[in-house]
Amino acid sequence: MPDERLAGAKELLERAGQRLDMSKEHTVVALAGATGSGKSSMFNAIAGLELSDVGVRRPTTSRTSAVVWGPDGSGELLEWLRIPVWHARETVLDAEEQAALRGLILLDLPDFDSVEDEHREEAERLLAKTDLVVWVLDPQKYADTVLHQKYLARFAQHRDVVVVALNKVDTLHSEAVGRVVGDLRGLLENDGLGAGVPVIAVSTRNKNGLPELRGLLEKAVAAKRSAQARIAADVDGVVAELSDLVGGPVRDVDDFLVRRLNSALAATAGAETVAHAVAESYHRRGLRMVGWPPFRVRGRDPLKRLGLRAGRAEGERGAGRSSLPEPSKARRASATLAMRELAADAAAEMPAPWPEAVLKAAQSEEAELPDALDRAVSSFEPVERTPVWWRLAGGLQWLFTLGVLGGICWFLAWIYVDVPAVRNPLWLVGGCFVAGVLVNVLARPLLRVGARRVRHRVLREIAEAVDRVAEMRVVAPVRRELGRYERAVGALGDAR
């Protein structure tokens, strides 16, 4: 997956690990809203003390105010939130009244629409770290497009850790409160925050709605699950962001396309050329053994012309490359096309960017393929033991050759030295010559049959070697990429 798409997941992993390592006895609640929504008044009303500045100058909240009910054990968490100054809500006079909120860390965030960049950045930073968010709206700005599109809609996955407080309802006529709350619910529905998100009409001036809001905070503090719920919601958000990267089902490479790739690579490597050379070498070697000695085949072994050594010991590997001719452009193009088709088929139902990643995996070792294929075809010329019938035929040919030579010598002696002879020695010369020719003629078809068998066997062995190269250099990297995709699908599925 692209690193930029995983940045949010990595950040969440780090943030979640840090939060879960800190106090689980405390719940961080942030009051967030626009300029003039009355956040600070609500903060003071919940705390029961005048802790946050309230005024007409905008923006009023320039830094985060914090109050902690039960500060013991909260130091590390406050340090992580980077809240340098905070108030402890511990008084003897109303200790019992405040006991239900023990474990609450309440933050009054800077205005998200502040004209000061640093105020907006501070609000954004803390919104990502709080366990529960209370969005404080007012009758004038509750329908603001920026508020809904840029902020509230972002919390569509966070319904369990979001509360919406419509503040300053005392500025509305009593019959208008219901209409505004209904309209707000409709807007929240469009933001994905309709079901399950509490919407409370509040007035910090006459205290309407504050007991209900405080009750929600008391339940959140008592349950001690807001931190986990927030992290779970963040995970849902990351999953939603990444879901388009793992849309299709997991597939394996197609066997037919693997066979086509193997055939194309074998052709590119010169398998036919090597097999033909081995068969020709076999045939020539046989002719040298069974042919009539004075007229036996001479010339350079075709294997040596290709830089392949006949009679190589089994398991031996030649050093350096062979002298096989370079493959044609058409064969190279065929191999490249087969590689692309295999990758494209394996990634056919994957969303971007997986098809490109699978293709890169298929081509990741393309530069090493020529040498690997050359070693594969060069290392498989078979070691052929001399067949028994070659030795017998060769022995007969030497016997017939000696018969011809002996007959000629006898004939000369019979003419010039008057050596007695029962019969004309030319009969021996002719008989041995004819017999030698006959053995040569009968042996050639057998040698051709043997050469064909050798050719087929070499092609089969080279095909097996090329299959292993294709598996290691092309198919295995593709399967590894498919495995990564499968793990991504499984991980996102588990996260859901």
Side-chain angles (χ1 to χ4, degrees):
M1 293 185 181
D3 289 340
E4 61 271 15
R5 295 293 302 273
L6 293 176
K10 292 176 181 177
E11 181 185 348
L12 171 60
L13 185 64
E14 181 181 3
R15 186 172 71 246
Q18 292 171 347
R19 178 62 183 95
L20 293 175
D21 284 341
M22 297 174 191
S23 174
K24 298 177 179 62
E25 300 299 316
H26 288 83
T27 300
V28 182
V29 177
L31 301 180
T35 303
S37 60
K39 298 190 310 314
S40 299
S41 298
M42 188 173 293
F43 178 84
N44 293 335
I46 295 171
L49 299 171
E50 293 294 323
L51 301 175
S52 189
D53 294 335
V54 179
V56 296
R57 184 176 58 87
R58 300 291 181 252
T60 301
T61 308
S62 59
R63 61 179 177 83
T64 301
S65 299
V67 60
V68 184
W69 282 259
D72 292 344
S74 65
E76 185 182 18
L77 182 54
L78 288 166
E79 185 178 347
W80 179 66
L81 293 169
R82 292 193 300 198
I83 305 294
V85 180
W86 49 275
H87 305 275
R89 186 63 172 88
E90 294 281 347
T91 62
V92 177
L93 297 177
D94 59 353
E96 285 191 21
E97 182 182 340
Q98 301 299 322
L101 290 179
R102 178 171 289 273
L104 172 64
I105 299 177
L106 184 64
L107 307 179
D108 179 16
L109 302 186
D111 306 326
F112 69 77
D113 61 348
S114 172
V115 294
E116 300 291 339
D117 291 343
E118 60 180 325
H119 297 174
R120 296 196 301 272
E121 291 168 1
E122 174 75 354
E124 288 277 3
R125 183 184 67 80
L126 287 170
L127 276 175
K129 290 187 172 184
T130 52
D131 302 330
L132 187 146
V133 180
V134 178
W135 286 99
V136 182
L137 313 182
D138 68 90
Q140 288 186 333
K141 293 185 178 181
Y142 76 90
D144 182 69
T145 302
V146 175
L147 166 69
H148 287 272
Q149 292 183 355
K150 190 175 179 180
Y151 291 94
L152 289 172
R154 271 172 43 196
F155 280 76
Q157 303 290 341
H158 298 70
R159 288 181 293 274
D160 294 337
V161 291
V162 169
V163 175
V164 176
L166 180 63
N167 196 17
K168 299 183 179 181
V169 293
D170 56 283
T171 62
L172 298 172
H173 294 294
S174 56
E175 63 271 13
V177 173
R179 291 198 303 272
V180 172
V181 169
D183 187 39
L184 175 57
R185 287 188 184 278
L187 294 172
L188 292 174
E189 186 79 36
N190 294 335
D191 296 331
L193 290 170
V197 175
V199 179
I200 305 172
V202 180
S203 170
T204 57
R205 179 174 297 176
N206 56 30
K207 310 303 181 186
N208 288 341
L210 281 176
E212 184 180 354
L213 177 59
R214 185 184 175 95
L216 285 175
L217 298 181
E218 290 175 355
K219 287 181 182 178
V221 170
K224 295 182 174 63
R225 290 191 52 82
S226 293
Q228 292 91 330
R230 170 61 192 266
I231 292 170
D234 287 341
V235 169
D236 289 342
V238 168
V239 169
E241 289 177 5
L242 298 178
S243 60
D244 63 313
L245 297 179
V246 291
V250 180
R251 297 178 60 173
D252 195 8
V253 293
D254 185 84
D255 290 339
F256 172 76
L257 294 177
V258 171
R259 290 193 296 272
R260 179 186 290 179
L261 171 66
N262 294 341
S263 298
L265 291 178
T268 303
E272 284 285 351
T273 302
V274 173
H276 178 76
V278 174
E280 185 181 351
S281 176
Y282 175 92
H283 189 261
R284 292 169 67 90
R285 191 157 60 95
L287 287 176
R288 283 198 298 270
M289 287 202 67
V290 305
W292 203 46
F295 303 104
R296 283 184 176 175
V297 175
R298 297 290 185 268
R300 192 179 181 190
D301 191 305
L303 290 178
K304 292 182 179 179
R305 290 200 304 268
L306 296 177
L308 306 172
R309 182 158 54 83
R312 179 178 294 175
E314 187 173 353
E316 186 180 343
R317 297 291 181 265
R321 291 203 58 171
S322 69
S323 300
L324 287 165
E326 290 293 323
S328 65
K329 291 183 179 180
R331 285 186 172 175
R332 285 180 178 172
S334 177
T336 301
L337 179 61
M339 204 180 299
R340 286 178 171 273
E341 286 180 343
L342 184 143
D345 179 79
E349 299 185 53
M350 293 182 182
W354 288 100
E356 182 181 354
V358 172
L359 179 59
K360 285 183 178 178
Q363 298 175 329
S364 60
E365 300 190 37
E366 193 172 9
E368 289 78 24
L369 266 180
D371 284 341
L373 292 172
D374 186 78
R375 287 193 296 271
V377 298
S378 301
S379 302
F380 278 85
E381 73 272 17
V383 176
E384 291 292 340
R385 290 184 294 182
T386 303
V388 175
W389 74 269
W390 285 14
R391 299 180 186 277
L392 291 175
L396 287 175
Q397 290 289 39
W398 279 111
L399 183 63
F400 296 147
T401 300
L402 291 175
V404 170
L405 293 174
I408 292 173
C409 291
W410 193 0
F411 177 72
L412 293 175
W414 178 52
I415 293 176
Y416 296 107
V417 186
D418 196 21
V419 175
V422 178
R423 187 171 294 179
N424 190 333
L426 289 179
W427 284 100
L428 177 60
V429 174
C432 287
F433 179 80
V434 171
V437 171
L438 183 62
V439 169
N440 189 68
V441 170
L442 293 175
R444 284 178 179 271
L446 296 177
L447 288 174
R448 284 194 292 271
V449 171
R452 282 196 295 270
R453 287 176 50 248
V454 167
R455 178 179 176 277
H456 291 314
R457 180 163 48 147
V458 171
L459 280 176
R460 185 173 63 252
E461 292 176 352
I462 289 177
E464 291 172 357
V466 170
D467 289 356
R468 288 192 290 272
V469 171
E471 174 65 32
M472 182 173 64
R473 305 279 183 176
V474 180
V475 178
V478 168
R479 284 201 169 110
R480 283 196 294 271
E481 200 63 34
L482 295 178
R484 292 189 184 98
Y485 177 76
E486 185 175 12
R487 290 193 295 275
V489 171
L492 287 181
D494 292 342
R496 289 190 179 102

